[in-house]
Amino acid sequence: MRENTPLDRRGEALRYLCAALPMLFYGVILAMAASRSPDRLVPMLVDIPLGVAGLVLMRWRRRLPWQTALATALLTGFSVTATGPAQVAYVSLVTHRRWRWTLPVAVASWLFLLVNTTRYGLTQAAVISQITGTVILAGLTLFGLYLRGLRDLEASRREAGLAAERERLNQIEQTKLAERAKIAQEMHDVLAHRMSLLSMLAGGLAYRKDLGPEETREIALAIQENAHRSLNELRAVLGTLRRDGALEAPQPGLEHMGALFEEVRAAGQRVEVADTVEDRESLPTQTGRHAYRIVQEALTNARKHAPGSEVAAELDGRPGKGLRIRVSNPVSWGTPPSPGGEHGGHGLVGLAERTRMAGGTLDHAVRKGRFVLDVHLPWEA
């Protein structure tokens, strides 16, 4: 069973207001009665302090629920102004939904009410007051149960929201791990390719006796070049691992972008390309590789979520300004996604992760009926 959650200042003030209003009401009646009949002055001077005592006792209604409810109920046997604090304390007790506490306190409250109403004899007014008090006691019981139900419902919704958020974050993390595993596999393949080339070239030098000086020099230069590339790839991986544990993969670069567009066009995807990149040869290898994969993933997302639509791809940039990639496609509200596109969001998570690894920024939004993906990658002069 859930315990009552702490109240904020507004909630606490509301409880004290609900207790003080009946006190004020009965206090005015007692004062009016004392002004007309002097013999009522002493009972009034006793009644009001007892009501104030009940108001003070309310402070412990959440820490000692049944004790506070019973103590304030006892005060109502001798003070009508204590009715407000007693009612608030009783409702607070009912919200705990522990009937071994509530039932005895409810019976005691009814008996103390009987003591108060019959203090001046069993009159018709006393009977009416007792019946009214009994109805109010039953209503307060139902109201307390209702409040408890509302709190339980709110707590359940909050827990469900937290569980959904945890699940969403877990899915995002799994997507990141899958993306990094894919990159690690790509790196393994490229390094294995480089090592096999080095082994083959070195074997040629070791076993072939018919090579002239020029041929030997060419093979040695090829070994040097491949070794240098291997070291660069390995240095990139180790550098990224030191930063955040991710794996940076060797990928096709900006110079392969044209082949990528031709490939997707051959598969039936309509792509309109605007490429205004300047001095593309100076683009860092790693940036070019990330750019290629970002465009590739963006085209894949467009095929999933807007099948058959024309995609616009824009590439622009120069040294010092950076490389900007914009891929957009119409938002397809009525067309069902292609297989694999039912669970949106993971593609964007992979793109965001790759962009972050490249030190760039990614924005996406729906503008004028088109989904627009904007990526900016750094490109130093």
Side-chain angles (χ1 to χ4, degrees), residues 22 99 101 105 159 218 224 272 295-297 305 311:
W99 294 107
W101 297 348
V105 172
E159 290 176 5
E218 290 178 0
Q224 182 186 32
E272 183 70 24
V295 172
Q296 185 182 52
E297 183 64 24
H305 301 293
V311 182

Side-chain angles (χ1 to χ4, degrees), residues 22-277:
M23 287 183 62
L24 181 62
F25 173 76
Y26 286 118
V28 171
I29 292 179
L30 289 175
M32 293 174 60
S35 65
R36 294 190 187 121
S37 178
D39 60 336
R40 294 292 184 94
L41 180 61
V42 173
M44 181 193 72
L45 295 177
V46 174
D47 194 301
I48 293 178
L50 290 177
V52 173
L55 200 64
V56 174
L57 286 173
M58 280 179 54
R59 179 180 179 182
W60 291 278
R61 73 188 187 281
R62 297 171 69 83
R63 190 186 312 169
L64 303 170
W66 72 266
Q67 295 93 329
T68 304
L70 184 61
T72 52
L74 174 62
L75 294 177
T76 62
F78 311 94
S79 169
V80 292
T81 56
T83 301
Q87 290 176 346
V88 173
Y90 178 74
V91 170
S92 180
L93 171 65
V94 174
T95 59
H96 286 77
R97 212 156 50 195
R98 294 183 177 176
W99 294 107
R100 67 179 185 275
W101 297 348
T102 304
L103 288 177
V105 172
V107 172
S109 298
W110 189 87
L111 291 175
F112 291 134
L113 175 65
L114 181 63
V115 170
N116 192 297
T117 56
T118 59
R119 186 167 28 173
Y120 300 106
L122 187 60
T123 63
Q124 183 178 6
V127 173
I128 295 175
S129 297
Q130 186 66 24
I131 293 175
T132 304
T134 303
V135 172
I136 293 174
L137 187 64
L140 292 174
T141 304
L142 294 177
F143 182 64
L145 293 175
Y146 171 73
L147 284 181
R148 184 65 197 196
L150 286 182
R151 292 176 184 175
D152 287 345
L153 179 61
E154 182 182 354
S156 297
R157 288 176 175 173
R158 185 166 55 249
E159 290 176 5
L162 291 174
E165 179 65 12
R166 286 193 297 268
E167 180 63 23
R168 186 185 71 84
L169 293 176
N170 181 63
Q171 289 182 356
I172 289 176
E173 190 61 30
Q174 291 299 321
T175 301
K176 290 181 180 180
L177 291 175
E179 180 69 17
R180 292 175 183 179
K182 185 194 303 182
I183 293 173
Q185 182 61 47
E186 292 174 0
M187 175 55 77
H188 170 270
D189 293 342
V190 169
L191 285 180
H193 172 68
R194 299 292 183 200
M195 293 301 104
S196 65
L197 284 178
L198 287 173
S199 176
M200 182 181 66
L201 293 170
L205 284 178
Y207 294 104
R208 291 189 60 180
K209 306 296 185 181
D210 58 338
L211 294 176
E214 186 62 28
E215 292 175 319
T216 302
R217 180 175 178 276
E218 290 178 0
I219 294 177
L221 287 175
I223 291 175
Q224 182 186 32
E225 181 183 357
N226 280 278
H228 181 69
R229 290 181 180 178
S230 299
L231 288 175
N232 283 341
E233 302 290 359
L234 185 58
R235 189 178 297 113
V237 173
L238 294 178
T240 307
L241 283 173
R242 291 190 188 101
R243 286 198 302 272
D244 58 8
L247 284 169
E248 187 73 25
Q251 304 166 3
L254 200 64
E255 67 276 9
H256 299 91
M257 206 73 77
L260 173 63
F261 292 130
E262 291 302 322
E263 179 184 3
V264 298
R265 284 171 178 150
Q269 186 173 17
R270 294 183 295 155
V271 183
E272 183 70 24
V273 180
D275 189 344
T276 57
V277 178

